[in-house]
Amino acid sequence: MVIQTVQAQLTAIDPEKKRRFLLAVSTGVDSMVLLQIFCQLFPEMQKEPCFSVAHVNHQLRPASAKEAAFLRQYCQERGIPFYERCWENPPETGVEASARNFRYTFFSDVMSQEGYDVLLTAHHSDDQVETMLMKMMREGRLRSAGGMKQQQPFHTGILLRPLLTVSKAAIYDYAQAQQIPYFEDESNHEPLYLRNRLRQQVVPALKVENPQLLPHFQQLSEEVQFANQLIQQEQQQWLSAFVQQQAARLVIDLQQLPTFSPAQRYFFYAGFLQQAEAFTKQPLNQKQLPQLLRLLDEKKGQWQLALHKQWQLRRSYDQLLLEPVTVPQKPAAPLTEVSQRLVLGEGIYLSEKEWIGYFPINEQHIPKKITNWSEFSRDLPLNYSSELVVRKRQPGDRIRLARGLTKKISRFFIDSKIPNEAREKSWVVTNLEKEVIALLPHTFSYLSIAPETDKIHYILLYKYQK
């Protein structure tokens, strides 16, 4: 049963028998059974080696050196290429995760250097139950609740777990029947780690409650993984259609989104945050998805959600942007104090990318280099003064939008859904009576409209580079 399970999976991934296999072996019963099965399936290793063994000596237990020496000799006697690496500087905390990263980095190195394209580990169905319970307890996320996959891409090839549907009891029975030598890792019985506590206390109790625990978890794993595949397919279609990359940021046009069901909406934004994680190369917090959904529900036109120190999500009315956090530079003078006089017949630069001119009609003098810049202009009647003032907005500024309608500029910005950064870049133009005649580049005052009997004599011309 055990050997047939392994053989069937090898045939499925390597029907032409051209692949080269790298076995991760620890000397525990699981990996020693896998190694012995390979010795049975490929008996003529000395003539044509098609698999090898990779072993990590973590140096965390007194028996580690003995186990490494045993495995080295075992492989040497059978003509099996053997690769070993010692873990020299284990950390004081996070040992499990660090050890796993060290192992898989070593396996990747061997695959690259020696030309192996399939890595095999001896994870079994009891390991799967433990993994799924740990993922549910630690993360509570559907995308990880399915546990380990039997086959997945890894480095330049694939990672195969051929024993994932085989129980630990069946592996012990096979080892005993075949008289396979192995070592027991005494640290697996220590309650220091969550996996060990689940293995020793929780899983046995669940098996007592239902002897079908392992096949039921296997079925659940398959269904969750299939469900995740369907969700990911939908997410990829949504993200391709509705998320655009613009330089160093991602942008969603909220008006273009379809009417999602609650489930579709949840997984669209879950997929977007996964894309954000890959885009920023920074891990995200599980709390950020419900925070994002709550902010979207509040219907506010503008808000920010910090993802971490360097990145943020920002809503700017109909856009949702993932962008770097920018540190605002302190202006040379307070914005409310920045003002310039604009004399009839002159043009002045407001910045490197902004220019404004005030001229008699047909007498404009526009610098050549700004000819193709964007333009916002208005013809003005004769009764305008020969001098205007250009400044930043001030508290209480009002603009007349119609004969009987005057509105605060701050309210105009809100009603027009003008983003905060565009508000700060705006310019106010007043006459010498301090009446606002233009809010550039957004609108002109009703005061700038000439009566039908007036002849138009002047033009106010604002040019800017986007």
Side-chain angles (χ1 to χ4, degrees):
M1 173 65 178
V2 178
I3 190 170
Q4 290 87 347
T5 299
V6 175
Q7 187 172 24
Q9 293 186 58
L10 295 182
T11 301
I13 68 165
D14 190 26
E16 299 180 3
K17 299 184 178 180
K18 293 182 178 181
R19 291 185 180 270
R20 302 183 71 227
F21 303 100
L22 178 66
L23 277 63
V25 180
S26 67
T27 72
V29 64
D30 318 319
S31 57
M32 288 304 297
V33 162
L34 183 60
L35 175 55
Q36 194 273 348
I37 289 174
F38 262 74
C39 290
Q40 283 188 255
L41 295 176
F42 305 97
E44 299 183 358
M45 278 296 294
Q46 293 186 357
K47 292 183 180 179
E48 189 178 353
C50 62
F51 73 91
S52 67
V53 168
H55 174 74
V56 173
N57 181 353
H58 295 95
Q59 302 190 113
L60 297 175
R61 298 174 293 110
S64 296
K66 181 180 178 180
E67 293 167 3
F70 160 79
L71 185 58
R72 192 181 308 113
Q73 182 178 354
Y74 185 98
C75 292
Q76 185 177 1
E77 291 172 352
R78 292 161 177 78
I80 303 170
F82 178 75
Y83 306 96
E84 179 184 3
R85 183 173 291 178
C86 294
W87 197 21
E88 300 292 350
N89 299 300
E92 295 183 1
T93 59
V95 174
E96 277 188 300
S98 297
R100 185 184 185 282
N101 290 337
F102 183 86
R103 286 195 302 273
Y104 282 89
T105 298
F106 170 53
F107 300 150
S108 300
D109 292 344
V110 175
M111 292 177 74
S112 295
Q113 295 164 11
E114 305 298 333
Y116 294 97
D117 51 3
V118 182
L119 172 67
L120 296 100
T121 64
H123 294 103
H124 47 77
S125 59
D126 290 75
D127 289 329
Q128 181 73 300
V129 172
E130 296 163 9
T131 298
M132 292 173 69
L133 289 173
M134 290 173 64
K135 292 291 186 180
M136 293 174 195
M137 293 169 63
R138 288 176 170 174
E139 300 179 23
R141 303 295 297 275
L142 181 65
R143 67 176 181 176
S144 60
M148 296 176 284
K149 296 180 179 179
Q150 194 147 46
Q151 178 182 327
Q152 67 187 69
F154 176 74
H155 193 50
T156 56
I158 64 172
L159 168 60
L160 181 67
R161 301 181 176 95
L163 299 177
L164 199 58
T165 60
V166 179
S167 69
K168 182 81 169 186
I171 291 173
Y172 272 124
D173 291 344
Y174 186 87
Q176 184 176 7
Q178 298 292 322
Q179 297 183 335
I180 299 173
Y182 62 86
F183 288 78
E184 287 284 2
D185 183 351
E186 64 275 9
S187 67
N188 286 336
H189 300 281
E190 297 175 356
L192 179 62
Y193 303 115
L194 173 60
R195 182 178 290 275
N196 289 355
R197 295 193 296 273
L198 292 173
R199 179 178 300 156
Q200 300 299 324
Q201 302 168 20
V202 177
V203 175
L206 293 175
K207 288 180 177 178
V208 170
E209 292 294 333
N210 189 343
Q212 296 300 308
L213 178 77
L214 296 184
H216 284 178
F217 264 74
Q218 179 184 338
Q219 179 178 341
L220 175 62
S221 172
E222 291 177 355
E223 291 188 358
V224 171
Q225 290 180 20
F226 284 144
N228 278 323
Q229 289 178 20
L230 291 174
I231 291 169
Q232 288 166 11
Q233 290 170 7
E234 288 293 308
Q235 286 175 327
Q236 287 303 317
Q237 292 180 11
W238 293 331
L239 296 176
S240 297
F242 303 118
V243 180
Q244 294 183 339
Q245 181 175 343
Q246 297 178 359
R249 65 183 187 176
L250 299 179
V251 181
I252 297 175
D253 185 337
L254 298 174
Q255 284 191 319
Q256 297 299 317
L257 293 181
T259 303
F260 285 136
S261 70
Q264 290 173 323
R265 178 175 180 265
Y266 180 92
F267 283 110
F268 169 72
Y269 287 108
F272 175 61
L273 289 184
Q274 292 173 36
Q275 184 179 10
E277 208 168 37
F279 187 76
T280 63
K281 297 180 174 60
Q282 297 285 344
L284 297 184
N285 189 311
Q286 288 191 47
K287 297 178 181 178
Q288 287 164 337
L289 177 57
Q291 287 175 341
L292 170 59
L293 295 174
R294 184 170 60 252
L295 285 168
L296 290 167
D297 285 338
E298 291 178 358
K299 308 297 183 184
K300 292 182 178 178
Q302 299 188 94
W303 46 256
Q304 295 175 348
L305 174 61
L307 299 183
H308 28 70
K309 291 182 179 179
Q310 292 83 26
W311 292 86
Q312 67 179 6
L313 283 174
R314 180 171 63 85
R315 178 166 186 171
S316 179
Y317 294 106
D318 295 328
Q319 286 190 323
L320 181 64
L321 305 101
L322 170 73
E323 61 186 9
V325 174
T326 56
V327 179
Q329 297 182 350
K330 186 176 180 180
L335 291 179
T336 55
E337 296 179 10
V338 175
S339 64
Q340 299 187 59
R341 292 189 176 274
L342 182 62
V343 178
L344 183 63
E346 290 186 355
I348 57 175
Y349 281 94
L350 299 174
S351 70
E352 291 182 357
K353 297 183 178 182
E354 297 173 289
W355 178 92
I356 189 170
Y358 180 37
F359 301 104
I361 202 74
N362 298 325
E363 295 182 20
Q364 300 98 306
H365 303 291
I366 303 172
K368 185 175 181 180
K369 74 174 186 177
I370 71 169
T371 302
N372 295 324
W373 287 10
S374 299
E375 182 176 309
F376 192 72
S377 63
R378 170 62 63 87
D379 295 335
L380 301 175
L382 181 62
N383 61 354
Y384 262 72
S385 59
S386 61
E387 190 174 303
L388 301 175
V389 175
V390 185
R391 61 171 172 80
K392 288 297 182 178
R393 64 187 176 103
Q394 299 173 351
D397 273 344
R398 303 182 71 90
I399 185 168
R400 180 169 293 178
L401 301 175
R403 183 182 299 273
L405 175 62
T406 300
K407 185 179 290 189
K408 280 189 175 182
I409 288 179
S410 58
R411 172 47 60 183
F412 171 82
F413 282 147
I414 294 171
D415 294 344
S416 302
K417 296 184 178 181
I418 295 173
N420 287 331
E421 62 271 22
R423 300 178 191 184
E424 297 304 321
K425 295 177 181 178
S426 302
W427 292 95
V428 172
V429 181
T430 71
N431 56 24
L432 294 181
E433 288 74 36
K434 298 183 178 181
E435 296 173 313
V436 175
I437 63 169
L439 179 60
L440 304 177
H442 306 295
T443 189
F444 282 91
S445 165
Y446 180 78
L447 294 173
S448 66
I449 300 176
E452 294 182 2
T453 56
D454 281 7
K455 294 183 179 180
I456 295 173
H457 280 262
Y458 306 135
I459 184 171
L460 181 62
L461 182 63
Y462 173 70
K463 295 184 76 69
Y464 58 102
Q465 192 175 31
K466 293 183 178 179

